[in-house]
């Protein structure tokens, strides 16, 4: 009988480069395995559930075999060796697949049509695979991934790179709306005050949305909080922006805009 505790590293050669985690699935408790003996007279599929100790009970191979933490290829090799050791089959050809993926799960909550548990078919998968199954709502704007009890990291769904962020078993994925954000505009402007921030808005658009300057003013100051918490002020020439000679800068939430002379 093989030991109940399996070593994940005992079948890993230092000469073989490690595969990316997204291409690997290591079997875990609850998974249902489809095992076939291909060169046996009876090569029909037999299903085996991985029990709480990380083992399957396969009488033809001597009973309890530890499989948790192994890939299907490693399980194939382990069963074949045991069949050979027990003189059941000298050159056994074993096929092992996963019929039901149940050990690698993530939880999805928040602004999705279908909340709940999702089962992964790899050690890690891109976020878009999980969200496609959960179906984002129209008001979804951000996603926070909580891993290992640590503070969750938040991503913006408008950023294409977000969908390629990898998630792994145990993650809690929460989809939320965008919190209301503002910028502030004052000085020689028709409608000064606090304005709702929209991603992508530019300085010139903000001035036009505030009714435009009260006179033909060309200078604007944008103050923005720096990394040290202090305001950093940048001056712009509106005439140059309108003519295309200067770039129309994008604003950030919390920007303070002052139209000057």
């Amino acid at each position: 009988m093989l030991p109940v505790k399996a070593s994940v590293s005992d079948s890993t050669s230092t000469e073989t480069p490690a595969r990316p985690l997204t291409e690997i699935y290591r079997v875990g408790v609850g998974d249902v395995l489809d095992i076939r003996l291909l060169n046996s007279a009876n090569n029909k599929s037999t299903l085996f559930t991985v029990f709480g100790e990380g083992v399957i009970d396969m009488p033809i191979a001597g009973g309890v075999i530890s499989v948790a933490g192994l890939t299907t290829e490693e399980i194939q090799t382990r069963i074949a060796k045991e069949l050979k050791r027990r003189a059941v089959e000298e050159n056994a050809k074993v096929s092992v697949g996963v019929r039901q993926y149940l050990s690698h799960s993530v939880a999805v909550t928040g602004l999705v049509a279908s909340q709940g548990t999702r089962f992964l078919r790899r050690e890690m998968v891109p976020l878009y695979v999980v969200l496609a199954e959960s179906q984002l709502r129209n008001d979804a704007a951000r996603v926070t991934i909580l891993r290992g009890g640590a503070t969750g990291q938040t991503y913006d769904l408008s950023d294409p790179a977000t969908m390629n962020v990898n998630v792994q078993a145990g993650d809690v994925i929460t989809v939320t709306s965008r919190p209301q954000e503002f910028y502030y505009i004052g000085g020689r402007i028709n409608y000064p005050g606090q304005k709702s921030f929209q991603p992508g808005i530019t300085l010139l658009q903000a001035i036009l949305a505030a009714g435009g300057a009260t006179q033909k003013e060309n200078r604007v100051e944008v103050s923005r909080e720096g990394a040290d918490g202090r305001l950093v002020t940048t001056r712009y020439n509106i005439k140059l922006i309108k003519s295309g000679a200067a770039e129309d800068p994008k604003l950030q939430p919390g920007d303070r805009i002052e139209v000057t002379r």
Side-chain angles (χ1 to χ4, degrees), residues 18-259:
R19 291 176 295 180
L21 286 176
T22 51
E23 295 181 4
I24 299 174
Y25 185 86
R26 296 193 181 278
V27 169
V29 174
D31 288 340
V32 178
L33 304 182
D34 183 339
I35 301 178
R36 305 176 187 226
L37 305 181
L38 300 180
N39 55 350
S40 171
N42 181 11
N43 63 357
K44 292 183 179 180
S45 170
T46 304
L47 302 181
F48 296 87
T49 299
V50 182
F51 298 131
E53 297 81 7
V55 302
I56 59 173
D57 186 3
M58 190 175 186
I60 193 174
V64 175
I65 296 180
S66 181
V67 296
L70 302 180
T71 65
T72 53
E73 292 87 352
E74 290 168 342
I75 296 171
Q76 287 173 183
T77 300
R78 178 159 288 192
I79 293 174
K81 287 182 178 179
E82 188 64 12
L83 291 174
K84 180 179 180 179
R85 189 177 75 83
R86 293 178 176 277
V88 176
E89 185 69 49
E90 180 66 24
N91 296 306
K93 293 184 179 180
V94 182
S95 170
V96 178
V98 181
R99 176 66 66 89
Q100 287 184 281
Y101 295 84
L102 296 174
S103 66
H104 291 40
S105 64
V106 298
V108 183
T109 63
L111 302 180
V112 292
S114 178
Q115 299 187 34
T117 301
R118 300 286 176 268
F119 295 101
L120 310 183
R121 298 195 174 196
R122 295 291 186 269
E123 292 296 297
M124 300 176 75
V125 300
L127 178 62
Y128 73 81
V129 174
V130 176
L131 294 185
E133 185 177 355
S134 302
Q135 302 178 41
L136 289 171
R137 283 176 23 181
N138 291 335
D139 51 347
R142 293 186 176 183
V143 60
T144 300
I145 300 176
L146 181 65
R147 178 171 299 161
T151 302
Q153 185 168 356
T154 300
Y155 302 89
D156 195 325
L157 289 173
S158 65
D159 182 355
T162 294
M163 288 301 183
N164 291 319
V165 171
N166 282 326
V167 297
Q168 63 189 51
D171 285 354
V172 177
I173 302 166
T174 304
V175 182
T176 58
S177 60
R178 186 181 303 282
Q180 194 168 14
E181 297 173 318
F182 303 95
Y183 64 91
Y184 309 87
I185 187 167
R188 297 172 177 265
I189 197 79
N190 281 303
Y191 302 109
Q194 175 179 284
K195 309 294 181 182
S196 294
F197 176 83
Q198 298 296 328
I201 189 171
T202 66
L203 176 58
L204 187 56
Q205 289 171 338
I207 292 173
L208 293 174
T214 56
Q215 300 178 23
K216 292 184 178 180
E217 310 295 351
N218 288 321
R219 299 192 181 279
V220 176
E221 294 181 350
V222 177
S223 297
R224 180 174 299 163
E225 189 173 306
D228 59 358
R230 299 182 181 181
L231 290 180
V232 178
T233 299
T234 305
R235 293 178 174 83
Y236 296 94
N237 187 305
I238 296 302
K239 184 177 181 180
L240 293 179
I241 294 176
K242 287 182 177 180
S243 68
E247 183 181 1
D248 187 8
K250 289 185 178 180
L251 298 182
Q252 293 182 10
D255 280 353
R256 289 83 155 168
I257 305 167
E258 184 176 2
V259 180

